[in-house]
């Protein structure tokens, strides 16, 4: 007798209408696994908060997306949480959570990220032994001030049936910091895809036309905060722009996380209005259009556990310039140029070279697209997760 199709429930503190990197990954993974006969239904259990810690009491308790994902939202108390954690460390009704679990009846519960302790603990409490638990952490070395997060993350790792890190680097960190057994620790990265409205076959023609008609576009995608390094990037751009052979513009996409005011002041002081564009947060379609329009993707964040935005840009045929921090060296094997961490001179020289050498830039972009879609395409990633989910059922 064939196994009955699985019901997979993702747990994450933030989800639609907010879609950050993790949330986009959940959505794309959901779309892909729904195409398999092994999956009956996909749901997301989340909160009525938008990132970061902003209460949204008017959001519906339940919603089904056009893509067929069932969303279940929990209210927390109090609304205004203390900023100790990346998600509201507030009280969520365990009975309400149990009701949602009973309503969806998952065979697999997939914790994505480690930022929602109460959601994780109550899901484990109510459904341990009834559903297999898969945990995809987002590992970072914790500063001494957040020592108390280590036992929480260690507990999550030990109570999960399977722990799936995004990179080998992250897996080593999870094993070392949380003593996660290697027998249940695996590695599967996130995926990248091209928006169906964007035709990759037309990109070379678009690039050649842009070479003749308009400024080159440098794109940076990430929340506008100190962690993503936009101000450092602007300093590099300022040093490089006088050496460009043709006009350029730099586009910063992402919601404000404390740095927007300083960036706008920088633009005014250096008279870069119209040359440095700050879009704020954009829709999925707008982001795909920026990826496709960009000539070069540049991001110098302090640390990247995986770097999904790099692969999203590469999947659209956009080459990458970054530096060797976090998992960049492991993930960005082709289609990207990496310099030493925070080396302004090296970053400036490479930015100038890539902007002035159109043939080399386009060749790097084609290499980037082939690599991203063959190694990190969502169909490839979904097959790996289906194996994890099905193995979990077999092991149950």
């Amino acid at each position: 007798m064939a196994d009955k199709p699985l019901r997979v429930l993702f747990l994450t503190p933030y989800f639609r209408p907010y879609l950050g990197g993790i949330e986009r990954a959940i959505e794309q993974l959901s779309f892909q696994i729904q195409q398999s006969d092994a999956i009956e239904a996909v749901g997301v259990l989340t909160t009525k908060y938008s990132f970061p810690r902003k209460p949204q009491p008017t959001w519906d308790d339940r919603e089904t997306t056009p893509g067929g994902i069932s969303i279940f939202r929990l209210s927390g108390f109090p609304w205004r949480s203390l900023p100790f954690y990346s998600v509201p460390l507030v009280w969520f009704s365990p009975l309400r959570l149990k009701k949602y679990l009973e309503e969806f009846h998952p065979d697999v519960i997939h914790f994505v990220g480690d930022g929602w302790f109460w959601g994780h603990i109550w899901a484990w409490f109510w459904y341990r032994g009834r559903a297999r638990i898969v945990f995809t952490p987002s590992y970072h070395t914790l500063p001494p001030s957040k020592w108390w997060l280590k036992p929480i993350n260690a507990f999550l790792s030990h109570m999960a049936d399977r722990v799936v890190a995004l990179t080998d680097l992250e897996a080593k960190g999870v094993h070392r910091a949380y003593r996660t057994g290697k027998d249940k620790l695996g590695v599967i990265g996130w995926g990248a895809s091209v928006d169906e409205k964007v035709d990759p076959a037309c990109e070379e023609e678009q690039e050649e036309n842009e070479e003749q008609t308009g400024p080159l576009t440098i794109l940076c995608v990430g929340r506008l905060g100190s962690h993503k390094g936009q101000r450092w990037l602007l300093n590099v751009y300022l040093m490089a722009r006088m050496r460009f052979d043709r006009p350029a513009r730099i586009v910063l996409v992402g919601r404000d996380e404390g740095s927007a005011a300083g960036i706008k002041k920088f633009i005014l002081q250096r008279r870069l209005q119209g040359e440095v564009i700050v879009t704020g947060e954009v829709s999925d379609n707008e982001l795909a259009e920026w990826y496709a329009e960009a000539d070069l993707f540049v991001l110098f964040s302090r640390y990247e556990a995986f770097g999904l935005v790099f692969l999203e840009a590469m999947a659209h045929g956009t080459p990458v310039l970054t530096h060797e921090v976090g998992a960049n060296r492991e993930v960005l094997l082709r289609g990207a140029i990496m310099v030493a961490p925070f080396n302004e001179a090296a970053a400036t020289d490479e930015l100038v070279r890539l902007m002035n050498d159109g043939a080399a830039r386009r060749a790097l972009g084609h290499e980037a697209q082939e690599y991203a879609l063959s190694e990190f395409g969502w169909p490839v990633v979904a097959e790996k997760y289906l194996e994890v989910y099905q193995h979990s059922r077999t092991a149950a």
Side-chain angles (χ1 to χ4, degrees), residues 234 237-238 241-242 248-250 262-277:
L234 288 176
Y237 175 78
L238 205 60
R241 64 194 285 267
M242 300 305 296
R249 62 175 180 168
I250 184 165
I263 289 172
K264 291 176 181 178
K265 182 178 180 180
F266 181 96
I267 294 170
L268 289 172
Q269 290 176 337
R270 289 154 180 84
R271 300 180 180 178
L272 295 173
Q273 299 95 319
E275 189 175 342
V276 179
I277 301 168

Side-chain angles (χ1 to χ4, degrees), residues 192-318:
S193 59
V194 177
D195 188 274
E196 61 182 9
K197 295 182 180 179
V198 178
D199 183 2
C202 297
E203 289 182 0
E204 183 173 357
E205 180 181 349
Q206 291 171 352
E207 287 174 341
E208 290 175 351
N209 290 338
E210 287 169 4
E211 288 284 349
Q212 303 299 323
T213 61
L216 295 173
T217 298
I218 302 168
L219 177 65
C220 178
V221 177
R223 295 189 298 272
L224 300 183
S226 59
H227 173 71
K228 292 298 180 180
Q230 287 94 350
R231 279 293 301 274
W232 195 87
L233 168 59
L234 288 176
N235 286 332
V236 169
Y237 175 78
L238 205 60
M239 291 186 291
R241 64 194 285 267
M242 300 305 296
R243 294 162 56 189
F244 293 163
D245 290 342
R246 57 171 296 178
R249 62 175 180 168
I250 184 165
V251 180
L252 306 179
V253 176
R255 70 160 55 195
D256 182 22
E257 204 174 69
S259 293
I263 289 172
K264 291 176 181 178
K265 182 178 180 180
F266 181 96
I267 294 170
L268 289 172
Q269 290 176 337
R270 289 154 180 84
R271 300 180 180 178
L272 295 173
Q273 299 95 319
E275 189 175 342
V276 179
I277 301 168
V278 181
T279 70
E281 191 172 17
V282 299
S283 69
D284 298 348
N285 289 339
E286 289 172 322
L287 179 58
E289 290 170 359
W290 278 120
Y291 279 138
E293 184 175 341
D295 296 282
L296 183 65
F297 184 91
V298 183
L299 177 64
F300 294 103
S301 48
R302 290 182 181 175
Y303 180 86
E304 287 292 343
F306 181 72
L308 178 60
V309 291
F310 293 123
L311 293 171
E312 289 179 338
M314 293 165 75
H316 286 81
T318 306

